[in-house]
Amino acid sequence: MEGVERIDGLIPIFNTIHDILERTKVGPGSVEIPLPQIVVIGSQSSGKSSVLENLVGQPFLPRGSGIVTRCPIVLRMILTPGNDTWCEFFHKPNEKFDDFRKVEQEIISRTDEIAGTDFGITSESIKITIYSPTVLNLTVVDLPGLVKIPVGQQPDDIEEQVKNLILGYISADDAVILAHKNCQDGGPNQERTIVVLTKLDLTDDYSKMTDVLNGKLGYVGVINRSQDDLKGDKPIEEVLKHEKAFLAEKFSSISAKHGISCLAKKLNRILLQRILACCSGLSLNIRNLSTASESELRELGVDEEMTEEEKKKELFKIVDEFAKEYKAQIDGMSRSEVQSMNLTCGARIDIIINNNLPNELDCF
C-alpha cells in the first residue's frame, strides 16, 4: 500500500511541473513538452458537469442553457487527511474557498473576464485545485460542450471554434479522452478513450444495457442527478448511495466495474500509467529545456555565479535597453537594420493614422 501511495503522489508533482512549463511559454519559440492529461468531452446535455461534480463530491459547476463551459477548466483533485474539503484557484493563489457556491460564482466571474460576456469561448484555462478526504488524486480538463447553433452574439463559426479547441487537446498522443455517449467517436484511438454512459436508471432494457457495458469499448456506466434532484438540491452523497444500490440491483453481475467510484479509480490508474510511461522522456526534455534556457541567459549576460542583486541589476539593464530601442524605432532613430523597401515602426504608424485610417473611415 505504501508503494501505491508513493506512486499516487506523482500526480500532484506533475501538476507542479505542468504549471512551471506553462510559465516558460513566453513566445513563439518557447519549447512545448507534452504531459499526460485526461480530457473530458461531450455535448451540452451529455451530463459532463454532473459526472465531474460526482467525482469531486460537491456541486460547484455553473449550469444554464447554451454554452456554460466556455473555456478549459482544469480540475485537480488532491486526497488529503481530515474532514474538510476546500479549493484554490490558480489565478487567486493562497485564497481558500470552502463555500462551493462561491466557487461557482468565481468560475462564472473568471470566465466572463477571460472569454467575454457574449457567450464566446477562449483557449485560456481556469485551474482549480480541490483538496478533499473523499477524492482520489486526479487531474481532468473539462472542455466546452459541442454546439451546433450560435446563440446571442456568438460568432457564426462557434461550432468550428469549439471543435478546434477540443481537437487541440485530444489530438495529443498523451491525452486520455473521457467521452460521453453522444461523442464516443471523438477519440482517434479507442485504447485511450473511456466512454461514460450516463442516466443508466432511465434505460428500459437492462439486459441489452448489460451487454453494452460488458463490451470491450471501455464503457463505464454512472447515474447523475436528475433535473428533480437538481431543483431539490439533492446532496451528491445521496445520489452516489442510490447509484450503488441501483447497480447492485439491476446490474449485479457487473456492478463492481461501474459507478462513479469505479470511474475515479480507473481514471487514477490510467493517468498514473501514462505518467510512469513518460517519466524517462520527460526527464530528458526538461534537461534539454534547462540547458537551452541557461544558454539564452548567458547570451543576455547573466552568469550562474551572479548574486540575486546582480541578476536584478542585469534584468533592469536589459529592460532599459529594450525600452530605449523601442522608443528609437518609433521615432525612426533606431540603430538596428531597417528594410528600406518596407515602411516600419514610426513611419508605418504615421501612414496608418494619417492616410489609411481616414480612407477606411470614408469607406465606412
Side-chain angles (χ1 to χ4, degrees), residues 194-335:
I194 301 172
V195 182
V196 180
L197 294 180
T198 61
K199 305 175 183 178
L200 284 184
D201 49 339
L202 300 182
T203 185
D204 295 324
D205 192 336
Y206 295 112
S207 176
K208 182 178 179 180
M209 185 56 67
T210 298
D211 292 338
V212 172
L213 294 173
N214 213 22
K216 299 180 180 179
L217 294 177
Y219 288 116
V220 177
V222 300
I223 295 177
N224 289 335
R225 291 193 295 173
S226 66
Q227 288 300 319
D228 289 339
D229 293 338
L230 292 171
K231 291 177 182 177
D233 202 20
K234 187 174 183 178
I236 290 179
E237 185 178 353
E238 290 185 22
V239 176
L240 297 180
K241 287 180 180 178
H242 165 66
E243 177 190 64
K244 185 176 181 180
F246 180 86
L247 288 172
E249 178 185 353
K250 302 295 185 180
F251 301 96
S252 57
S253 62
I254 57 172
S255 60
K257 299 179 181 179
H258 299 276
I260 285 295
S261 176
C262 175
L263 177 62
K265 292 175 183 176
K266 188 170 187 175
L267 293 175
N268 173 266
R269 183 176 67 252
I270 291 174
L271 185 57
L272 282 173
Q273 289 171 348
R274 292 276 173 170
I275 288 175
L276 289 172
C278 80
C279 274
S280 58
L282 176 64
S283 178
L284 177 62
N285 285 334
I286 290 178
R287 281 199 298 270
N288 290 339
L289 179 60
S290 177
T291 301
S293 298
E294 289 171 359
S295 177
E296 287 184 26
L297 287 172
R298 283 194 295 272
E299 289 179 7
L300 291 171
V302 179
D303 194 290
E304 288 183 14
E305 298 180 359
M306 279 184 169
T307 65
E308 288 299 315
E309 192 61 34
E310 289 173 333
K311 288 179 181 178
K312 288 179 182 177
K313 288 181 180 179
E314 190 64 31
L315 176 62
F316 286 131
K317 178 183 174 183
I318 292 170
V319 172
D320 183 57
E321 289 178 355
F322 173 81
K324 289 177 179 177
E325 176 62 18
Y326 185 85
K327 183 178 186 300
Q329 289 205 23
I330 295 296
D331 293 339
M333 303 292 290
S334 174
R335 293 166 295 174

Side-chain angles (χ1 to χ4, degrees), residues 34-265:
L35 294 177
Q37 58 185 353
I38 296 171
V39 182
V40 185
I41 62 175
S43 65
Q44 294 180 59
S45 57
S46 60
K48 285 193 307 108
S49 296
S50 293
V51 170
L52 293 173
E53 288 180 339
N54 289 349
L55 285 171
V56 172
Q58 296 284 345
F60 67 99
L61 291 172
R63 296 178 183 276
S65 58
I67 295 184
V68 179
T69 303
R70 298 190 289 120
C71 65
I73 298 180
V74 182
L75 293 177
R76 296 167 173 175
M77 294 163 244
I78 306 295
L79 177 64
T80 56
N83 300 314
D84 297 333
T85 298
W86 77 95
C87 79
E88 293 177 350
F89 284 87
F90 186 75
H91 64 275
K92 286 192 171 181
N94 303 320
E95 186 171 341
K96 186 175 177 180
F97 289 76
D98 52 15
D99 183 345
F100 279 80
R101 289 171 298 184
K102 292 183 179 180
V103 173
E104 178 183 354
Q105 291 303 314
E106 182 60 31
I107 292 174
I108 294 172
S109 175
R110 180 61 176 170
T111 298
D112 287 344
E113 183 179 336
I114 63 177
T117 57
D118 57 356
F119 296 101
I121 67 168
T122 179
S123 60
E124 186 175 348
S125 64
I126 297 175
K127 298 188 183 71
I128 310 170
T129 303
I130 298 170
Y131 302 88
S132 172
T134 62
V135 300
L136 290 178
N137 286 342
L138 194 60
T139 300
V140 299
V141 183
D142 183 25
L143 296 177
L146 293 164
V147 295
K148 293 291 183 184
I149 302 173
V151 176
Q153 298 180 357
Q154 285 179 342
D156 294 336
D157 65 340
I158 187 66
E159 179 184 4
E160 196 67 23
Q161 287 187 31
V162 173
K163 284 184 177 179
N164 290 337
L165 177 61
I166 291 174
L167 285 173
Y169 276 86
I170 69 175
S171 59
D173 292 336
D174 288 314
V176 177
I177 303 160
L178 181 61
H180 290 68
K181 183 179 178 182
N182 292 13
C183 52
Q184 68 186 68
D185 296 327
N189 186 341
Q190 287 185 349
E191 292 181 359
R192 58 187 182 94
T193 303
I194 301 172
V195 182
V196 180
L197 294 180
T198 61
K199 305 175 183 178
L200 284 184
D201 49 339
L202 300 182
T203 185
D204 295 324
D205 192 336
Y206 295 112
S207 176
K208 182 178 179 180
M209 185 56 67
T210 298
D211 292 338
V212 172
L213 294 173
N214 213 22
K216 299 180 180 179
L217 294 177
Y219 288 116
V220 177
V222 300
I223 295 177
N224 289 335
R225 291 193 295 173
S226 66
Q227 288 300 319
D228 289 339
D229 293 338
L230 292 171
K231 291 177 182 177
D233 202 20
K234 187 174 183 178
I236 290 179
E237 185 178 353
E238 290 185 22
V239 176
L240 297 180
K241 287 180 180 178
H242 165 66
E243 177 190 64
K244 185 176 181 180
F246 180 86
L247 288 172
E249 178 185 353
K250 302 295 185 180
F251 301 96
S252 57
S253 62
I254 57 172
S255 60
K257 299 179 181 179
H258 299 276
I260 285 295
S261 176
C262 175
L263 177 62
K265 292 175 183 176

